[in-house]
């Protein structure tokens, strides 16, 4: 425990030094990047724990939509969708819209996925008043998607209907109010 406490203090000290350097007026950093101030594996562990605890999928992206982390807790339906060319195209489009909304509004946003229809959200990550990344979360079924929608969607993509239905049956329902609470929590994390 003492070793872990010591490691945590050292990590906090290194982060403070990085932030002081980046945010100082004489700093020659033209832009702040999230991975300049937090180690990628630490960010991944934090995201993984958040996704597991909240039962939502998560990935952190830069302002252009490029992933900074590996996806966490992705919905099994979405994994099948992403394995098809048309599904990947639709998911990429939906993620780009969600990323742009967070970038343009500089506040958390949510919308229905433009691919499958699950609920998605995003929270801008802001450091020293600068929006530097977005935390995308979602792939949640707010009881707006049913087996008929999944069957039709699998047909649109040319995906295996039975595999999609089996994956869908494993997806827990999440009331929209609960998803909003999770998005509010994510916004607190992202600002800090």
């Amino acid at each position: 425990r003492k070793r872990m406490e010591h490691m945590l203090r050292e990590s906090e000290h290194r982060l403070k030094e990085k932030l002081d350097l980046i945010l100082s007026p004489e700093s020659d950093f033209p832009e702040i990047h999230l991975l300049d101030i937090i180690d990628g594996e630490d960010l991944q562990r934090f995201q993984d724990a958040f996704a597991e605890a909240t039962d939502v999928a998560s990935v952190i992206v830069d302002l252009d939509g490029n992933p900074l982390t590996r996806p966490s807790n992705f919905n099994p339906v979405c994994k099948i969708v992403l394995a098809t060319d048309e599904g990947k195209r639709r998911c990429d489009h939906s993620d780009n819209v969600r990323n742009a909304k967070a970038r343009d509004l500089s506040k958390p946003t949510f919308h229905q996925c433009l691919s499958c229809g699950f609920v998605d959200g995003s929270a801008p990550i802001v450091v020293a008043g600068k929006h530097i990344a977005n935390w995308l979360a979602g792939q949640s079924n707010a009881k707006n998607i049913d087996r008929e929608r999944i069957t039709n969607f699998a047909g649109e993509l040319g995906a295996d209907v039975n595999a999609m239905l089996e994956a869908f049956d494993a997806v827990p329902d999440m009331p929209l109010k609960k998803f909003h609470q999770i998005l509010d929590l994510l916004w607190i994390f992202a600002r800090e």
Side-chain angles (χ1 to χ4, degrees):
R1 192 187 94 221
K2 287 186 183 244
R3 194 180 100 212
M4 291 300 289
E5 288 173 357
H6 177 73
M7 288 172 54
L8 179 59
R9 280 192 299 275
E10 282 184 1
S11 177
E12 288 172 353
H13 179 71
R14 284 192 310 272
L15 177 59
K16 184 179 179 339
E17 286 179 341
K18 285 181 184 179
L19 280 173
D20 288 346
L21 174 65
I22 290 169
L23 300 176
S24 70
E26 61 274 355
S27 173
D28 60 354
F29 278 82
E31 293 181 37
I32 300 171
H33 296 281
L34 186 57
L35 296 178
D36 291 333
I37 57 175
I38 187 167
D39 177 74
E41 286 306 310
D42 289 340
L43 185 63
Q44 185 69 51
R45 279 191 298 275
F46 188 62
Q47 174 193 287
D48 290 344
F50 176 85
E52 187 66 29
T54 60
D55 208 17
V56 297
S58 289
V59 66
I60 298 172
V61 299
D62 66 18
L63 295 182
D64 294 323
N66 301 308
L68 300 175
T69 57
R70 295 177 304 278
S72 301
N73 201 29
F74 264 41
N75 175 323
V77 172
C78 295
K79 288 178 182 179
I80 295 170
V81 171
L82 286 166
T84 69
D85 290 339
E86 178 61 15
K88 177 150 179 34
R89 186 191 67 72
R90 290 181 186 192
C91 288
D92 288 347
H93 172 68
S94 188
D95 285 349
N96 289 337
V97 168
R98 180 169 43 153
N99 197 39
K101 281 175 73 173
R103 184 184 60 239
D104 295 345
L105 299 175
S106 293
K107 66 179 187 177
T109 63
F110 87 99
H111 73 271
Q112 191 170 6
C113 170
L114 301 176
S115 181
C116 184
F118 290 124
V119 175
D120 284 335
S122 59
I125 299 173
V126 179
V127 175
K130 291 186 177 184
H131 182 180
I132 62 171
N134 290 315
W135 192 320
L136 308 182
Q139 299 180 350
S140 300
N141 187 12
K143 300 183 182 184
N144 58 326
I145 304 297
D146 58 21
R147 290 176 62 83
E148 181 180 346
R149 168 65 182 133
I150 292 298
T151 299
N152 293 336
F153 189 59
E156 292 172 24
L157 301 179
D160 182 305
V161 173
N162 291 328
M164 285 272 280
L165 288 171
E166 185 177 321
F168 177 72
D169 290 340
V171 174
D173 288 337
M174 179 179 294
L176 195 53
K177 180 179 178 182
K178 179 72 171 176
F179 185 78
H180 278 284
Q181 292 169 335
I182 290 170
L183 191 56
D184 289 344
L185 175 63
L186 182 56
W187 178 229
I188 292 168
F189 287 157
R191 285 192 319 237
E192 292 300 320

